[in-house]
Amino acid sequence: EKPGLELAVVSVPSYACQRHTPLLHHNITLTDALSILADNAELGENEGRGVAFRRAAALLKSLPQEVRGAEQLRGLPCLGEHSLRVIKEVLEDGVSHEVETTTHSEQFKAMKALTGIFGVGAKTADRWFREGIHTPSDLQRSGHTLNRAQRAGLQYYDELNLPVTKSEAVAIGQIVESAVHAVLPGAEITLIGGFRRGKQTGHDVDFLITHPDEGREEGLMPKVVSWLEAQGFLLYQKTTGNSYLESKEGPARPASNMDRFERCFSIFRLSTDNEGRENQTGRENQTGRENQTGREIQTGREIQTGREIQTGREIQTGREIQTGREIQTGREIQTGREIQKGREIQTGDGPQTYSPTLTNTDPHTHSDSPHPLPQTLVVVGDHAQKVSWVLGHSQCSGPRSWRAVRVDLVVSPYSQFAFALLGWTGSKLFERELRRWAVHEKAMTLSSHALYDRKRTQYLRASSEEEIFAHLGLEYIPPCDRNA
Ligand code: GTP
Ligand code: MN
Ligand code: MN
């Protein structure tokens, strides 16, 4: 009657990097509940607690079948007392009281909404929350001085909280390729992050750039950024230089998990209609890049259905699909970001463009009402300017033919490429587990730059991810199974 009792006797290794964790798994209800508690712990800056919930969720994601009863969990690692309690509650009652309380809490909703603004972390969001700022529009009204990232985050709030589709990622990839090849022929561009793990949507698009002739990649990022900027592809960018070489600590003892590659956090302006694509930037004619443009038209097709998408009907339908599902699963506040976290199969055919209309597009608030939210509703008189962030542009001048997309670019020297690739493919928990395994089980230090053997006091070279897993004494886990 209860298939899967044998789970209890199956031995499951305790580090996520020892397990295969596919994108689609059998325990979504349980992992969603745990991930809300993890989010809440992280928003409360209780990292340890957050990791405990994430490890428990990752364990469930790796199981070969659905857990039906708590007795099936006996002997499994990674399940702490608290996580077990939540799992049992969900298995028995369908919901966890703690999860329900959390998702309905004003603080949690506000923290999710505020940290959903690009450039806003938990600390800042908490400070604002305690000042009575609960939503992006509260923030807009508050007159707070915002930094450049936060201003862009507020301006493009809705769009940046809409999942980026795979085809949008491909279109961005072609732009990045054009830019990189224009300034450094022979450079190699690799799609990393969630899309490399097989996700169909993401909160951003991540690329790793290198060149087979070591040294040629030095100083590449500013050139790429200049090219993109000149073509009108960038709405925002912040480039940080390579500080690895100057660092006194050496790679074995990184100051933090932040690595030191040349890196660019950006917001791209991606064209979303066919007509617009012919001159993606509006300046293509000047530069005569017909080839590039032609390719974009072909590959962009799925997402670039042009006018229809902008009619508002499509958009509403999209939202309803999302909303309906959220209601079904009883997780009203989870849109946008949450959807990106492992429910791609359901969202793959979801809305594929931003909403330029005045619908409820706030992804962090209850969607169980068919009525738009107040802050997105009122666009009259004095309010017109104040709610302009909802539209993602400063004038209410009708539909627009592009959307904003978060893009991360990283440049790595060729000799570090395998480490960078492994370190930037994720998932975040998988990476954390790899480093924990290296330190505790192998007396090694792993970073996105290198692997250091502390017993043999030497760096271990690798030109592929497979070699790194081998150095670590781990079975090779392919990207699609790193969705811990
Ligand atoms: P979505 O973007 O939400 O779809 O998921 P994702 O897995 O792509 O997440 P994200 O883009 O945030 O990060 C991609 C990978 O890069 C993850 O494995 C992160 O751990 C890693 N990463 C992000 N920021 C840094 C950083 O500053 N240093 C290093 N070394 N890795 C980072
Ligand atoms: Mn990503
Ligand atoms: Mn990223």
Side-chain angles (χ1 to χ4, degrees), residues 203-204 206 263 406 408:
H203 100 278
D204 67 358
D206 309 282
R263 180 169 179 188
R406 271 274 297 116
D408 282 338

Side-chain angles (χ1 to χ4, degrees), residues 192-195 197 199 202-206 406 408 424 428:
I192 49 174
F195 285 109
R197 302 196 307 274
K199 287 179 66 177
H203 100 278
D204 67 358
V205 196
D206 309 282
R406 271 274 297 116
D408 282 338
W424 284 84
K428 282 188 185 80

Side-chain angles (χ1 to χ4, degrees), residues 380-401:
V380 289
D382 293 345
H383 295 285
Q385 279 308 109
K386 292 181 178 171
V387 299
S388 64
W389 60 267
V390 171
L391 303 176
H393 55 100
S394 52
Q395 258 95 48
C396 305
S397 53
R400 166 184 97 177
S401 59

Side-chain angles (χ1 to χ4, degrees), residues 425-475:
T425 295
S427 66
K428 282 188 185 80
L429 184 73
F430 192 89
E431 304 295 342
R432 183 187 268 271
E433 292 281 276
L434 272 176
R435 292 192 298 265
R436 193 167 68 94
W437 167 271
V439 170
H440 289 109
E441 307 296 329
K442 296 285 155 182
M444 293 180 186
T445 309
L446 175 69
S447 75
S448 298
H449 297 276
L451 178 63
Y452 182 73
D453 186 325
R454 294 196 277 183
K455 278 189 266 177
R456 286 188 276 171
T457 63
Q458 64 183 28
Y459 288 97
L460 305 178
R461 296 188 164 274
S463 55
S464 68
E465 289 180 321
E466 283 86 345
E467 286 174 56
I468 304 172
F469 279 90
H471 283 318
L472 289 167
L474 288 168
E475 177 201 341

